[in-house]
Amino acid sequence: AGAAKDSAPTPTPAPRPAPPVTAPAPPTSASASGSAPAPAPTYRASNACAGKIIYIQIYGSQQRDGVRAALREPWRAEGASVPPIEDVWATARSAGRPAPIPVSNTTIRYHDPGELPCIAAMKQSLAGAASSWTVEPLSPRLKPTPGVIEVWVPPNASFVQR
């Protein structure tokens, strides 16, 4: 009579929330040496930027690869659309305009205060690399576009791989 009770029931999977964009490594059983599995990453993407468009502006094509490697994927993981990076010097040159003066510090310009949670997630996704960045509203002289965030990267940005 006890044999029926001792057989293992078929496991029923518990309902799970939607998986995070950056999922921790799957759990592993302890090895023969008894060590515990590796800890999960400390940062998990929040999807706080879903529906937002992040335009990245650089000053010179030599920045493109480093900026792309450092910024695009972490922000896409937050749910943002990150279009191709714009070299503002090349754009000005092709339009016959004077080259813009570079920002002195990486600057995030938001078009609407509702974008601030996304900006916080953007900065957090870079693990401290963005702690000294400037965050400011778009100039009142310009027409804001809700859902748009601009990131202006100076030529001497330390996170840009050269």
Side-chain angles (χ1 to χ4, degrees):
K5 290 181 183 177
D6 292 337
S7 65
T10 304
T12 304
R16 297 186 313 170
V21 176
T22 304
T28 58
S29 60
S31 67
S33 66
S35 64
T42 57
Y43 178 75
R44 290 171 46 141
S46 66
N47 212 29
C49 297
K52 307 290 187 227
I53 301 171
I54 301 172
Y55 291 104
I56 302 172
Q57 320 290 335
I58 59 173
Y59 300 89
S61 62
Q62 73 281 0
Q63 291 183 276
R64 189 175 310 279
D65 290 341
V67 169
R68 181 185 301 119
L71 305 181
R72 283 185 92 190
E73 292 312 312
W75 295 345
R76 284 180 171 170
E78 290 295 339
S81 170
V82 186
I85 297 166
E86 180 187 3
D87 176 351
V88 295
W89 282 344
T91 300
R93 208 172 20 257
S94 68
R97 294 189 311 257
I101 298 171
V103 293
S104 59
N105 187 39
T106 301
T107 301
I108 300 174
R109 293 187 178 132
Y110 58 90
H111 289 224
D112 181 289
E115 294 149 5
L116 292 172
C118 172
I119 292 169
M122 289 166 58
K123 291 177 75 172
Q124 185 180 10
S125 73
L126 300 176
S131 62
S132 65
W133 291 6
T134 302
V135 176
E136 63 187 27
L138 184 70
S139 168
R141 295 177 297 162
L142 301 172
K143 182 181 178 195
T145 303
V148 169
I149 298 169
E150 301 173 11
V151 179
W152 295 79
V153 181
N156 63 347
S158 62
F159 64 90
V160 176
Q161 301 158 355
R162 293 189 172 98

Coordinates of all heavy atoms in Angstrom, one line a residue, residues 28-115:
T28 N 22.7 25.2 -12.0 CA 23.4 24.0 -12.2 C 23.5 23.3 -10.9 O 23.5 23.9 -9.8 CB 24.9 24.2 -12.7 OG1 25.6 25.0 -11.8 CG2 24.8 24.9 -14.1
S29 N 23.6 22.0 -10.9 CA 23.8 21.2 -9.7 C 25.2 21.4 -9.1 O 26.1 21.7 -9.9 CB 23.5 19.7 -9.9 OG 24.4 19.2 -10.8
A30 N 25.3 21.3 -7.9 CA 26.7 21.4 -7.3 C 27.6 20.4 -7.9 O 27.2 19.2 -8.1 CB 26.6 21.3 -5.8
S31 N 28.8 20.7 -8.1 CA 29.8 19.8 -8.7 C 30.2 18.8 -7.6 O 29.9 18.9 -6.5 CB 31.0 20.6 -9.2 OG 31.7 21.2 -8.2
A32 N 31.0 17.8 -8.1 CA 31.5 16.8 -7.2 C 32.3 17.4 -6.0 O 32.3 16.9 -4.9 CB 32.3 15.8 -7.9
S33 N 32.9 18.6 -6.2 CA 33.7 19.2 -5.2 C 32.8 19.9 -4.2 O 33.2 20.4 -3.1 CB 34.7 20.2 -5.8 OG 34.0 21.3 -6.4
G34 N 31.5 20.0 -4.5 CA 30.5 20.6 -3.5 C 30.4 22.1 -3.7 O 29.8 22.7 -2.9
S35 N 31.0 22.7 -4.8 CA 30.9 24.1 -4.9 C 29.5 24.5 -5.4 O 28.8 23.7 -6.1 CB 31.9 24.6 -5.9 OG 31.7 24.1 -7.2
A36 N 29.1 25.7 -5.0 CA 27.7 26.2 -5.4 C 27.8 26.7 -6.8 O 28.8 27.1 -7.3 CB 27.3 27.3 -4.4
P37 N 26.6 26.8 -7.5 CA 26.6 27.4 -8.8 C 27.0 28.9 -8.8 O 27.0 29.5 -7.7 CB 25.1 27.3 -9.2 CG 24.4 26.7 -8.1 CD 25.3 26.4 -7.0
A38 N 27.5 29.4 -9.9 CA 27.9 30.8 -10.0 C 26.7 31.7 -9.7 O 25.6 31.4 -10.0 CB 28.5 31.1 -11.4
P39 N 27.0 32.9 -9.0 CA 25.9 33.8 -8.7 C 25.3 34.4 -10.0 O 26.0 34.5 -11.0 CB 26.5 34.8 -7.8 CG 28.0 34.7 -8.2 CD 28.2 33.3 -8.6
A40 N 24.1 34.8 -10.0 CA 23.5 35.5 -11.1 C 24.0 36.9 -11.3 O 24.5 37.5 -10.3 CB 21.9 35.6 -10.9
P41 N 24.0 37.4 -12.5 CA 24.5 38.8 -12.7 C 23.7 39.7 -11.8 O 22.5 39.5 -11.5 CB 24.2 39.1 -14.2 CG 23.8 37.8 -14.8 CD 23.5 36.8 -13.7
T42 N 24.3 40.8 -11.4 CA 23.7 41.8 -10.5 C 22.7 42.7 -11.2 O 21.9 43.3 -10.6 CB 24.7 42.6 -9.8 OG1 25.5 43.3 -10.7 CG2 25.6 41.8 -8.9
Y43 N 22.8 42.8 -12.5 CA 21.9 43.7 -13.3 C 21.0 42.9 -14.2 O 21.5 42.1 -14.9 CB 22.7 44.8 -14.1 CG 21.8 45.6 -14.9 CD1 21.1 46.6 -14.2 CD2 21.5 45.4 -16.2 CE1 20.1 47.4 -14.9 CE2 20.6 46.2 -16.9 CZ 19.9 47.1 -16.2 OH 19.0 47.9 -16.9
R44 N 19.8 43.2 -14.1 CA 18.8 42.6 -15.0 C 18.1 43.8 -15.8 O 17.6 44.7 -15.1 CB 17.8 41.8 -14.3 CG 18.5 40.5 -13.7 CD 17.6 39.8 -12.8 NE 16.2 39.6 -13.3 CZ 15.5 38.5 -13.2 NH1 16.0 37.5 -12.5 NH2 14.3 38.5 -13.6
A45 N 18.0 43.6 -17.1 CA 17.3 44.7 -17.9 C 15.9 44.8 -17.4 O 15.2 43.8 -17.0 CB 17.4 44.3 -19.3
S46 N 15.4 46.0 -17.4 CA 14.1 46.3 -16.9 C 13.0 46.5 -17.9 O 11.9 46.6 -17.6 CB 14.2 47.6 -16.0 OG 14.5 48.7 -16.8
N47 N 13.4 46.7 -19.2 CA 12.5 47.0 -20.3 C 11.9 48.4 -20.0 O 10.8 48.7 -20.6 CB 11.4 46.0 -20.4 CG 11.0 45.8 -21.8 OD1 11.7 46.1 -22.8 ND2 9.7 45.4 -22.0
A48 N 12.6 49.3 -19.2 CA 12.1 50.6 -18.9 C 12.1 51.5 -20.1 O 11.4 52.6 -20.1 CB 12.9 51.2 -17.8
C49 N 12.7 51.1 -21.2 CA 12.8 52.0 -22.4 C 12.0 51.5 -23.5 O 12.1 52.0 -24.7 CB 14.3 52.1 -22.8 SG 15.3 52.9 -21.6
A50 N 11.1 50.6 -23.3 CA 10.2 50.1 -24.3 C 9.4 51.3 -24.9 O 8.9 52.1 -24.2 CB 9.2 49.1 -23.8
G51 N 9.5 51.3 -26.3 CA 8.8 52.4 -27.0 C 9.6 53.7 -27.1 O 9.1 54.6 -27.8
K52 N 10.8 53.8 -26.5 CA 11.6 55.0 -26.6 C 12.6 54.8 -27.8 O 13.0 53.7 -28.1 CB 12.4 55.2 -25.3 CG 11.6 55.2 -24.0 CD 10.7 56.4 -23.9 CE 10.1 56.5 -22.6 NZ 8.7 56.8 -22.7
I53 N 13.0 55.9 -28.3 CA 14.0 56.0 -29.4 C 15.2 56.7 -28.8 O 15.1 57.9 -28.4 CB 13.5 56.6 -30.6 CG1 12.2 55.9 -31.2 CG2 14.6 56.7 -31.7 CD1 11.5 56.6 -32.3
I54 N 16.4 56.1 -28.8 CA 17.6 56.7 -28.3 C 18.5 57.0 -29.5 O 19.0 56.1 -30.2 CB 18.3 55.8 -27.3 CG1 17.4 55.5 -26.1 CG2 19.6 56.5 -26.8 CD1 17.9 54.5 -25.2
Y55 N 18.7 58.3 -29.8 CA 19.6 58.7 -30.9 C 20.9 59.0 -30.3 O 21.1 59.8 -29.3 CB 19.0 60.0 -31.6 CG 17.8 59.7 -32.4 CD1 16.6 60.1 -31.9 CD2 17.9 59.1 -33.6 CE1 15.4 59.9 -32.6 CE2 16.7 58.9 -34.3 CZ 15.5 59.3 -33.9 OH 14.4 59.1 -34.6
I56 N 22.0 58.4 -30.8 CA 23.3 58.6 -30.3 C 24.1 59.5 -31.3 O 24.1 59.2 -32.5 CB 24.1 57.2 -30.2 CG1 23.3 56.3 -29.2 CG2 25.5 57.5 -29.7 CD1 23.9 54.9 -29.1
Q57 N 24.6 60.6 -30.8 CA 25.4 61.6 -31.7 C 26.8 61.5 -31.3 O 27.2 61.6 -30.1 CB 24.8 63.0 -31.4 CG 23.3 63.1 -31.2 CD 22.5 62.9 -32.5 OE1 23.0 63.1 -33.6 NE2 21.3 62.5 -32.3
I58 N 27.7 61.4 -32.3 CA 29.1 61.4 -32.1 C 29.8 62.5 -32.9 O 29.1 63.1 -33.8 CB 29.8 60.0 -32.5 CG1 29.5 59.7 -34.0 CG2 29.2 58.9 -31.6 CD1 30.2 58.4 -34.5
Y59 N 31.0 62.7 -32.7 CA 31.8 63.8 -33.3 C 33.0 63.1 -34.0 O 34.1 63.1 -33.5 CB 32.3 64.8 -32.3 CG 31.2 65.5 -31.6 CD1 30.7 65.0 -30.4 CD2 30.7 66.7 -32.1 CE1 29.7 65.7 -29.8 CE2 29.6 67.4 -31.4 CZ 29.1 66.8 -30.3 OH 28.1 67.5 -29.6
G60 N 32.8 62.5 -35.2 CA 33.9 61.9 -35.9 C 33.6 60.4 -36.0 O 33.3 59.7 -35.1
S61 N 33.9 59.8 -37.2 CA 33.6 58.4 -37.5 C 34.5 57.5 -36.7 O 34.2 56.3 -36.5 CB 33.8 58.1 -39.0 OG 35.1 58.4 -39.4
Q62 N 35.7 58.0 -36.2 CA 36.5 57.1 -35.4 C 35.9 56.7 -34.1 O 36.3 55.7 -33.5 CB 37.9 57.8 -35.1 CG 37.8 58.9 -34.1 CD 37.2 60.3 -34.6 OE1 36.9 60.4 -35.7 NE2 37.1 61.3 -33.7
Q63 N 34.8 57.3 -33.7 CA 34.1 56.9 -32.4 C 33.1 55.8 -32.6 O 32.7 55.2 -31.7 CB 33.3 58.1 -31.9 CG 34.2 59.3 -31.3 CD 33.3 60.3 -30.7 OE1 32.8 61.2 -31.4 NE2 33.0 60.2 -29.4
R64 N 32.7 55.7 -33.9 CA 31.5 54.8 -34.2 C 31.6 53.4 -33.6 O 30.7 53.0 -32.9 CB 31.3 54.8 -35.7 CG 29.9 54.1 -36.0 CD 29.6 54.2 -37.5 NE 29.8 55.5 -38.1 CZ 28.9 56.5 -38.0 NH1 27.7 56.2 -37.4 NH2 29.1 57.6 -38.6
D65 N 32.6 52.7 -33.8 CA 32.7 51.3 -33.4 C 32.7 51.2 -31.9 O 32.0 50.3 -31.3 CB 33.9 50.6 -34.0 CG 33.8 50.4 -35.5 OD1 32.7 50.4 -36.0 OD2 34.9 50.2 -36.1
G66 N 33.5 52.0 -31.2 CA 33.5 52.0 -29.7 C 32.2 52.3 -29.1 O 31.8 51.7 -28.1
V67 N 31.6 53.3 -29.6 CA 30.3 53.8 -29.1 C 29.2 52.7 -29.3 O 28.4 52.3 -28.5 CB 29.8 55.1 -29.7 CG1 28.4 55.4 -29.3 CG2 30.7 56.2 -29.1
R68 N 29.2 52.1 -30.5 CA 28.3 51.1 -30.9 C 28.4 49.9 -29.9 O 27.5 49.4 -29.3 CB 28.4 50.6 -32.3 CG 27.4 49.5 -32.7 CD 27.7 49.0 -34.1 NE 27.6 50.0 -35.1 CZ 28.7 50.3 -35.9 NH1 29.8 49.7 -35.8 NH2 28.5 51.2 -36.8
A69 N 29.7 49.5 -29.7 CA 29.9 48.3 -28.8 C 29.5 48.6 -27.4 O 29.0 47.7 -26.7 CB 31.4 48.0 -28.9
A70 N 29.7 49.9 -26.9 CA 29.5 50.2 -25.5 C 28.0 50.5 -25.2 O 27.6 50.2 -24.1 CB 30.3 51.4 -25.1
L71 N 27.3 51.1 -26.1 CA 26.0 51.6 -25.8 C 24.8 50.9 -26.5 O 23.7 50.8 -25.8 CB 25.9 53.1 -26.2 CG 27.0 53.9 -25.5 CD1 26.8 55.4 -25.9 CD2 27.0 53.8 -24.0
R72 N 24.9 50.6 -27.7 CA 23.7 50.1 -28.4 C 23.0 48.9 -27.8 O 21.8 48.9 -27.6 CB 24.0 49.9 -29.9 CG 24.1 51.1 -30.7 CD 24.2 50.9 -32.2 NE 22.9 50.9 -32.8 CZ 22.7 50.5 -34.0 NH1 23.7 50.0 -34.7 NH2 21.5 50.5 -34.5
E73 N 23.7 47.8 -27.6 CA 23.1 46.6 -27.2 C 22.5 46.7 -25.7 O 21.4 46.2 -25.5 CB 24.1 45.4 -27.3 CG 24.4 45.0 -28.7 CD 23.1 44.9 -29.6 OE1 22.1 44.2 -29.2 OE2 23.1 45.5 -30.7
P74 N 23.3 47.3 -24.8 CA 22.6 47.4 -23.4 C 21.3 48.2 -23.5 O 20.4 47.8 -22.8 CB 23.7 48.2 -22.6 CG 25.0 47.9 -23.3 CD 24.6 47.8 -24.8
W75 N 21.2 49.2 -24.3 CA 20.0 50.0 -24.4 C 18.9 49.3 -25.2 O 17.7 49.4 -24.9 CB 20.3 51.4 -24.9 CG 21.2 52.1 -24.0 CD1 21.4 51.8 -22.7 CD2 21.9 53.3 -24.2 NE1 22.3 52.7 -22.1 CE2 22.6 53.7 -23.0 CE3 22.1 54.1 -25.4 CZ2 23.4 54.8 -22.9 CZ3 22.9 55.2 -25.3 CH2 23.5 55.6 -24.1
R76 N 19.3 48.5 -26.2 CA 18.3 47.7 -26.9 C 17.7 46.6 -25.9 O 16.5 46.3 -25.9 CB 18.9 47.0 -28.1 CG 19.1 48.0 -29.2 CD 19.7 47.3 -30.4 NE 19.6 48.2 -31.6 CZ 20.2 48.0 -32.7 NH1 20.9 46.9 -32.9 NH2 20.1 48.8 -33.7
A77 N 18.6 46.1 -25.0 CA 18.1 45.2 -24.0 C 17.1 45.8 -23.0 O 16.3 45.1 -22.5 CB 19.3 44.6 -23.2
E78 N 17.1 47.1 -22.9 CA 16.2 47.8 -22.1 C 14.9 48.1 -22.8 O 14.0 48.7 -22.3 CB 16.8 49.2 -21.6 CG 17.9 49.1 -20.6 CD 17.4 48.5 -19.3 OE1 16.2 48.5 -19.0 OE2 18.3 48.0 -18.6
G79 N 14.8 47.7 -24.1 CA 13.6 47.8 -24.9 C 13.6 49.0 -25.8 O 12.6 49.2 -26.5
A80 N 14.6 49.8 -25.9 CA 14.7 51.0 -26.7 C 15.0 50.6 -28.2 O 15.7 49.6 -28.4 CB 15.7 51.9 -26.2
S81 N 14.6 51.5 -29.0 CA 15.0 51.4 -30.4 C 16.2 52.3 -30.5 O 16.2 53.5 -30.0 CB 13.9 51.9 -31.3 OG 14.4 52.1 -32.6
V82 N 17.3 51.8 -31.0 CA 18.6 52.6 -31.1 C 19.0 52.6 -32.6 O 19.6 51.7 -33.1 CB 19.7 52.1 -30.2 CG1 20.9 53.0 -30.2 CG2 19.2 51.8 -28.8
P83 N 18.6 53.7 -33.3 CA 18.9 53.8 -34.7 C 20.4 53.9 -34.9 O 21.2 54.1 -34.0 CB 18.2 55.1 -35.2 CG 17.2 55.4 -34.1 CD 17.7 54.8 -32.9
P84 N 20.8 53.8 -36.2 CA 22.3 54.0 -36.5 C 22.8 55.3 -35.9 O 22.1 56.3 -35.8 CB 22.3 54.0 -38.0 CG 21.2 53.2 -38.4 CD 20.1 53.5 -37.4
I85 N 24.0 55.3 -35.5 CA 24.7 56.4 -34.8 C 25.0 57.5 -35.8 O 25.4 57.2 -37.0 CB 26.0 55.9 -34.2 CG1 25.7 54.9 -33.1 CG2 26.8 57.1 -33.7 CD1 26.9 54.1 -32.6
E86 N 24.7 58.8 -35.4 CA 25.0 59.9 -36.3 C 26.3 60.6 -36.0 O 26.5 61.0 -34.9 CB 23.8 60.9 -36.2 CG 24.0 62.1 -37.1 CD 23.0 63.2 -37.0 OE1 22.2 63.1 -36.1 OE2 23.1 64.2 -37.7
D87 N 27.1 60.8 -37.0 CA 28.3 61.6 -36.9 C 27.9 63.0 -37.2 O 27.7 63.3 -38.4 CB 29.4 61.1 -37.8 CG 30.6 61.9 -37.8 OD1 30.7 63.0 -37.2 OD2 31.6 61.5 -38.5
V88 N 27.7 63.8 -36.2 CA 27.2 65.2 -36.4 C 28.2 66.1 -37.2 O 27.7 67.0 -37.9 CB 26.8 65.9 -35.1 CG1 25.6 65.1 -34.5 CG2 27.9 66.0 -34.1
W89 N 29.5 65.8 -37.2 CA 30.4 66.6 -38.0 C 30.2 66.2 -39.5 O 30.2 67.1 -40.3 CB 31.9 66.3 -37.6 CG 32.3 67.0 -36.3 CD1 31.6 68.1 -35.7 CD2 33.4 66.8 -35.5 NE1 32.3 68.5 -34.6 CE2 33.4 67.7 -34.4 CE3 34.4 65.9 -35.6 CZ2 34.4 67.7 -33.5 CZ3 35.4 65.9 -34.6 CH2 35.4 66.8 -33.5
A90 N 30.0 65.0 -39.8 CA 29.8 64.6 -41.2 C 28.5 65.1 -41.7 O 28.4 65.6 -42.8 CB 29.9 63.0 -41.3
T91 N 27.5 65.1 -40.8 CA 26.1 65.6 -41.2 C 26.2 67.1 -41.5 O 25.7 67.6 -42.5 CB 25.1 65.4 -40.1 OG1 25.0 63.9 -39.9 CG2 23.7 65.9 -40.5
A92 N 26.9 67.8 -40.7 CA 27.1 69.3 -40.9 C 27.9 69.6 -42.2 O 27.5 70.4 -43.0 CB 27.8 69.9 -39.7
R93 N 28.9 68.8 -42.4 CA 29.8 69.0 -43.6 C 28.9 68.7 -44.8 O 29.0 69.5 -45.8 CB 30.9 68.0 -43.5 CG 32.2 68.4 -44.2 CD 33.4 67.5 -44.0 NE 33.2 66.1 -43.5 CZ 33.4 65.7 -42.2 NH1 33.8 66.6 -41.3 NH2 33.2 64.5 -41.9
S94 N 28.2 67.7 -44.9 CA 27.4 67.3 -46.1 C 26.2 68.3 -46.3 O 25.8 68.5 -47.4 CB 26.8 65.9 -46.0 OG 25.9 65.8 -45.0
A95 N 25.8 69.0 -45.2 CA 24.7 70.0 -45.4 C 25.3 71.4 -45.6 O 24.6 72.4 -45.7 CB 23.9 70.0 -44.1
G96 N 26.7 71.5 -45.6 CA 27.3 72.8 -45.8 C 27.2 73.8 -44.6 O 27.3 75.0 -44.7
R97 N 27.0 73.2 -43.4 CA 26.9 74.0 -42.2 C 28.2 73.9 -41.4 O 28.9 72.9 -41.6 CB 25.7 73.4 -41.3 CG 24.4 73.6 -41.9 CD 23.3 73.3 -40.8 NE 23.5 72.0 -40.2 CZ 22.9 70.9 -40.5 NH1 21.9 70.8 -41.4 NH2 23.1 69.8 -39.8
P98 N 28.5 74.8 -40.5 CA 29.7 74.7 -39.7 C 29.5 73.5 -38.7 O 28.4 73.2 -38.3 CB 29.7 76.0 -38.9 CG 28.5 76.8 -39.3 CD 27.7 76.1 -40.3
A99 N 30.6 72.9 -38.4 CA 30.7 71.8 -37.5 C 30.2 72.2 -36.1 O 30.7 73.3 -35.6 CB 32.0 71.2 -37.4
P100 N 29.4 71.5 -35.5 CA 28.9 71.8 -34.1 C 30.1 71.7 -33.1 O 31.0 70.8 -33.3 CB 27.8 70.9 -33.8 CG 28.0 69.7 -34.7 CD 28.7 70.2 -35.9
I101 N 30.1 72.4 -32.1 CA 31.1 72.3 -31.0 C 30.7 71.1 -30.1 O 29.6 71.0 -29.7 CB 31.1 73.6 -30.1 CG1 31.5 74.8 -31.0 CG2 32.0 73.5 -29.0 CD1 31.4 76.2 -30.4
P102 N 31.7 70.3 -29.9 CA 31.4 69.1 -29.1 C 31.0 69.4 -27.6 O 31.4 70.4 -27.1 CB 32.7 68.3 -29.1 CG 33.5 68.8 -30.2 CD 33.0 70.3 -30.4
V103 N 30.2 68.5 -27.1 CA 29.9 68.6 -25.7 C 31.2 68.2 -24.9 O 32.0 67.5 -25.5 CB 28.7 67.6 -25.3 CG1 27.4 68.1 -25.9 CG2 29.0 66.2 -25.6
S104 N 31.3 68.7 -23.7 CA 32.5 68.4 -23.0 C 32.4 67.1 -22.1 O 33.4 66.5 -21.7 CB 32.9 69.5 -22.1 OG 31.9 69.8 -21.2
N105 N 31.2 66.7 -21.9 CA 30.9 65.5 -21.1 C 29.7 64.8 -21.8 O 28.9 65.4 -22.4 CB 30.4 65.9 -19.7 CG 30.2 64.8 -18.8 OD1 31.0 63.8 -18.8 ND2 29.2 64.8 -17.9
T106 N 29.7 63.4 -21.8 CA 28.6 62.7 -22.4 C 27.3 63.3 -21.8 O 27.2 63.4 -20.6 CB 28.7 61.2 -22.2 OG1 30.0 60.7 -22.7 CG2 27.6 60.4 -22.8
T107 N 26.4 63.6 -22.7 CA 25.2 64.3 -22.3 C 23.9 63.6 -22.8 O 23.8 63.3 -24.0 CB 25.2 65.8 -22.8 OG1 26.4 66.4 -22.3 CG2 23.9 66.5 -22.4
I108 N 23.0 63.3 -21.9 CA 21.7 62.7 -22.3 C 20.7 63.9 -22.3 O 20.5 64.5 -21.2 CB 21.3 61.6 -21.3 CG1 22.3 60.5 -21.3 CG2 19.9 61.1 -21.7 CD1 22.1 59.4 -20.3
R109 N 20.0 64.1 -23.4 CA 19.0 65.1 -23.5 C 17.6 64.4 -23.7 O 17.4 63.7 -24.6 CB 19.3 66.1 -24.6 CG 20.5 66.9 -24.4 CD 20.7 68.0 -25.4 NE 21.9 68.7 -25.0 CZ 22.9 69.0 -25.9 NH1 22.8 68.7 -27.1 NH2 23.9 69.7 -25.4
Y110 N 16.7 64.7 -22.7 CA 15.4 64.1 -22.8 C 14.4 65.1 -23.4 O 14.5 66.3 -23.2 CB 14.9 63.5 -21.5 CG 14.9 64.5 -20.4 CD1 13.7 65.2 -20.1 CD2 16.0 64.7 -19.5 CE1 13.7 66.1 -19.0 CE2 16.0 65.5 -18.5 CZ 14.8 66.2 -18.2 OH 14.8 67.1 -17.1
H111 N 13.4 64.6 -24.1 CA 12.4 65.5 -24.7 C 11.2 65.6 -23.8 O 10.4 66.6 -24.0 CB 12.0 65.0 -26.0 CG 13.0 65.1 -27.1 ND1 12.8 65.5 -28.4 CD2 14.4 64.9 -27.1 CE1 13.9 65.6 -29.1 NE2 14.9 65.2 -28.3
D112 N 11.0 64.7 -22.8 CA 9.9 64.7 -21.9 C 10.3 64.1 -20.6 O 11.0 63.1 -20.6 CB 8.8 63.9 -22.6 CG 7.5 63.8 -21.8 OD1 7.5 63.2 -20.7 OD2 6.5 64.4 -22.2
P113 N 9.9 64.7 -19.5 CA 10.3 64.2 -18.2 C 9.8 62.7 -18.0 O 10.4 62.0 -17.2 CB 9.6 65.1 -17.1 CG 9.3 66.4 -17.9 CD 9.1 66.0 -19.3
G114 N 8.9 62.3 -18.7 CA 8.4 60.9 -18.6 C 9.5 59.9 -19.1 O 9.4 58.7 -18.9
E115 N 10.6 60.4 -19.7 CA 11.7 59.6 -20.1 C 12.7 59.3 -19.1 O 13.6 58.5 -19.2 CB 12.3 60.2 -21.4 CG 11.3 60.2 -22.6 CD 11.5 61.3 -23.5 OE1 12.4 62.1 -23.4 OE2 10.7 61.4 -24.4

